[in-house]
Amino acid sequence: MRIDVVSIFPEYLSALDLSLIGKARQQGLLELTVTDLREFTTDRHRTVDDTPYGGGAGMVMKPEPWAAALDAVRERGPAPAADPGVAGERPVLVVPSPAGAVFTQATARELALREHLVFACGRYEGIDERVVDWSREHFEVRPMSLGDYVLNGGEVAVLAMVEAIGRLVPGVVGNPESLVEESHADGLLEYPVYTKPALWRDRPVPEVLLSGHHGRIARWRRDRQLQRTAARRPDLVASLDPAGLDRADRAVLAEAGWIVSGARVVRAGDDAPGEPVA
Ligand code: SAM
């Protein structure tokens, strides 16, 4: 996979030299280039922003350096597939923005399959909207938000997205099993985890985990996943597909106040009549 990041603060992205992503780059699993947007300015002051049309506070990133930078990145990227109908031949342009769709594990999974990702880090009040419109001629454009809050720039969002995507590229995480049982892999949060010592500050590790009984351990973990998700992320419980819930799952959810009603999981009392849970 090839990843390009364009930013006025290339040094911000140096964290991508470290840890698993850094190693993956050294091993050639990920090819990642950070480009300084200011290299594509033409004036003495290397200006990348100007005042907004229509007035208002703040500055807006100018279109000219962005178009020149994106052209350069596109030209350096993998050659497009001969057949323009082949899915995935267009590079994906991710535009971090609090006004974008929320980036999720499903987005990471989808983008991890693509050949060339380009990230355009905005600053100030963002990038002139015409850049986004024009880019659609050459890229699959994805405005993406890290969450419902406002950062100073796109760099922090890109660090998070590249890490989430990069660790799904085959070979980046040593043991692929560890990707299977993680939070959000199956719509639930992960179960709590423990390591040695078995007794620490009067707190024992849950006994079942010492039992060696794989079936009981799996059930205990599944129960904790359901309980934890119900307590912390009711929005995720409401998105569960009842077809994936066995009787034991439904019993745990019922204790937490959720029932299966038709093709949905709902809070008990919200949508009568619910199916019996057990
Ligand atoms: N005026 C913009 C708005 O209200 O939508 C916010 C601009 S913000 C100060 C500057 C840049 O930070 C954005 O262009 C974007 O690149 C980045 N950014 C801020 N919050 C973000 C978020 N939640 N997710 C992704 N990127 C974000």
Side-chain angles (χ1 to χ4, degrees), residues 96-98 122-126 144-147 149-154 157:
S97 164
R123 282 265 153 186
Y124 318 117
E125 294 307 319
M144 301 267 36
S145 171
L146 208 57
Y149 41 82
V150 179
L151 303 164
N152 287 336

Side-chain angles (χ1 to χ4, degrees), residues 175-268:
N175 181 358
E177 280 286 300
S178 53
L179 301 175
V180 176
E181 295 206 349
E182 285 185 318
S183 295
H184 305 293
D186 59 358
L188 295 172
L189 304 181
E190 199 189 43
Y191 47 79
V193 294
Y194 302 85
T195 186
K196 297 176 194 70
L199 184 67
W200 176 78
R201 296 195 176 183
D202 296 332
R203 288 166 170 79
V205 163
E207 211 191 313
V208 61
L209 298 179
L210 310 175
S211 70
H213 190 297
H214 298 306
R216 280 181 53 215
I217 293 173
R219 186 66 249 172
W220 182 89
R221 286 178 166 166
R222 176 81 177 169
D223 291 353
R224 298 285 114 35
Q225 282 191 279
L226 291 159
Q227 288 165 350
R228 181 181 263 189
T229 309
R232 298 180 184 176
R233 293 290 304 275
D235 57 312
L236 295 181
V237 176
S239 304
L240 289 174
D241 178 357
L245 300 171
D246 64 18
R247 286 169 71 90
D249 293 340
R250 291 172 190 224
V252 175
L253 286 177
E255 255 178 58
W258 293 83
I259 58 165
V260 170
S261 175
R264 297 188 308 132
V265 179
V266 298
R267 278 194 194 278

